[in-house]
C-alpha cells in the first residue's frame, strides 16, 4: 500500500516516468511533423483524504471539439501571457474547475506527451487543499470526481482496448473506475506516473 509521504518522496527522487515507445511511434506515424505540435499543460491535482491521496479528474463537456465527454486532467493550451507552462497548468485548473494552485504546491512534472489532437502536453503534479470548493466552467467541464491513488496507479487496474483513428485500429490503455473510463492520453500519463512511484507491498 502506498503511504502519502512515501509516494511523494518517490516522485521527487525517482527518475521521471516514461511513456510507451509504441505510443510515440504511432503519433509520429500519424502526425509526422512534430514541429507543429502546440504546447499545452495539465495538472494532476492530489488531495489528502483519510485513506490516502486522491486524484481529481474531470469529465470534459460533450460539445468540445477535442475529446468531448472524455475523462481528463484539468489543463489546456499554452497562451503567450502564461510565459511558462507551469502557469498554463495553474491558470487552466482555476478556469476549468475553480481550484487555485500556487507554484509552491507544484511537486514536479512528467515528460511532455504528444497527443493525437496535435498537442505536446506537459503534466504537473500538485497538492490542493482537502476542503477545496470546485466551481466548474460548463463550457469546458461536465463534472469532476476523485479516484484514490492506490486504485489509479495500481498496474493491475490498467487494461488495453482497441481504438480506431483515421481508419486504423490501435491498442490503447484504459482504466475503468465506477461509471468512468479513463483512457487515451490521460491513461498514458497515469501509466508513466505509476511506473515512477508505484510500490506494491502485498
Amino acid at each position: 500500500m502506498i503511504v502519502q509521504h512515501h509516494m511523494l518522496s518517490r516522485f521527487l527522487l525517482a527518475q521521471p516516468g516514461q511513456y510507451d515507445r509504441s505510443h510515440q511511434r504511432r503519433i509520429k506515424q500519424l502526425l509526422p511533423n512534430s514541429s507543429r505540435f502546440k504546447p499545452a499543460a495539465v495538472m494532476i491535482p492530489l488531495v489528502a483524504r483519510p485513506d490516502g491521496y486522491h486524484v481529481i479528474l474531470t469529465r470534459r463537456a460533450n460539445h468540445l471539439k477535442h475529446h468531448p465527454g472524455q475523462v481528463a486532467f484539468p489543463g489546456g493550451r499554452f497562451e503567450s501571457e502564461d510565459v511558462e507552462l507551469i502557469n498554463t497548468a495553474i491558470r487552466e485548473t482555476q478556469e476549468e474547475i475553480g481550484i487555485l494552485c500556487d507554484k509552491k504546491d507544484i511537486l514536479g512534472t512528467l515528460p511532455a506527451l504528444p497527443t493525437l489532437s496535435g498537442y505536446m502536453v506537459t503534466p504537473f503534479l500538485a497538492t490542493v487543499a482537502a476542503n477545496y470548493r470546485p466551481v466548474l466552467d460548463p463550457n469546458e467541464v461536465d463534472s469532476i470526481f476523485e479516484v484514490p491513488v492506490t486504485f489509479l496507479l495500481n498496474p493491475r487496474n490498467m487494461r488495453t482496448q482497441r481504438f480506431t483513428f483515421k481508419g486504423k485500429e490501435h491498442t490503447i490503455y484504459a482504466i475503468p473506475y465506477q461509471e468512468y473510463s479513463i483512457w487515451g492520453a490521460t491513461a498514458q500519463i497515469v501509466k508513466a506516473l505509476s511506473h515512477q512511484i508505484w510500490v506494491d507491498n502485498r
Side-chain angles (χ1 to χ4, degrees):
M1 191 68 69
I2 296 178
V3 295
Q4 295 182 22
H5 71 275
H6 184 53
M7 187 196 75
L8 295 184
S9 295
R10 281 189 60 79
F11 179 78
L12 294 171
L13 297 175
Q15 291 295 316
Q18 298 298 319
Y19 305 110
D20 280 359
R21 293 180 181 177
S22 59
H23 170 81
Q24 308 279 27
R25 289 194 300 268
R26 182 165 63 246
I27 294 294
K28 288 181 180 180
Q29 290 170 356
L30 295 169
L31 302 170
N33 193 341
S34 61
S35 63
R36 294 184 181 178
F37 278 76
K38 299 177 286 292
V42 298
M43 190 73 77
I44 307 174
L46 291 173
V47 56
R49 297 299 184 206
D51 62 341
Y53 277 115
H54 287 206
V55 175
I56 302 170
L57 287 160
T58 73
R59 193 206 297 268
R60 291 168 58 83
N62 287 320
H63 63 263
L64 292 175
K65 178 181 178 181
H66 295 298
H67 314 295
Q70 290 185 18
V71 171
F73 295 111
R77 183 171 60 185
F78 172 81
E79 303 290 349
S80 58
E81 58 267 26
D82 293 334
V83 182
E84 54 184 346
L85 282 168
I86 190 172
N87 294 324
T88 302
I90 292 171
R91 173 182 58 78
E92 288 283 349
T93 300
Q94 184 176 18
E95 290 177 359
E96 289 186 4
I97 59 177
I99 297 177
L100 178 61
C101 295
D102 194 270
K103 282 188 177 181
K104 64 179 175 57
D105 301 316
I106 305 293
L107 301 172
T109 183
L110 289 172
L113 173 70
T115 70
L116 289 173
S117 52
Y119 289 93
M120 188 65 73
V121 179
T122 299
F124 291 85
L125 189 73
T127 55
V128 302
N131 62 346
Y132 72 87
R133 295 186 177 182
V135 179
L136 307 187
D137 178 359
N139 293 317
E140 298 283 343
V141 176
D142 177 66
S143 61
I144 70 169
F145 62 101
E146 295 182 12
V147 183
V149 161
T150 51
F151 180 94
L152 188 66
L153 299 189
N154 190 331
R156 296 191 300 273
N157 295 324
M158 183 76 67
R159 308 285 187 266
T160 58
Q161 65 186 47
R162 301 297 290 173
F163 173 72
T164 301
F165 182 78
K166 293 187 176 180
K168 294 184 178 180
E169 281 199 347
H170 306 275
T171 300
I172 61 171
Y173 293 104
I175 308 162
Y177 178 73
Q178 297 180 354
E179 71 269 31
Y180 303 99
S181 178
I182 304 162
W183 63 283
T186 303
Q188 281 280 345
I189 292 169
V190 169
K191 196 170 191 298
L193 186 60
S194 176
H195 281 166
Q196 182 169 339
I197 66 177
W198 177 260
V199 175
D200 191 346
N201 291 325
R202 288 181 301 169

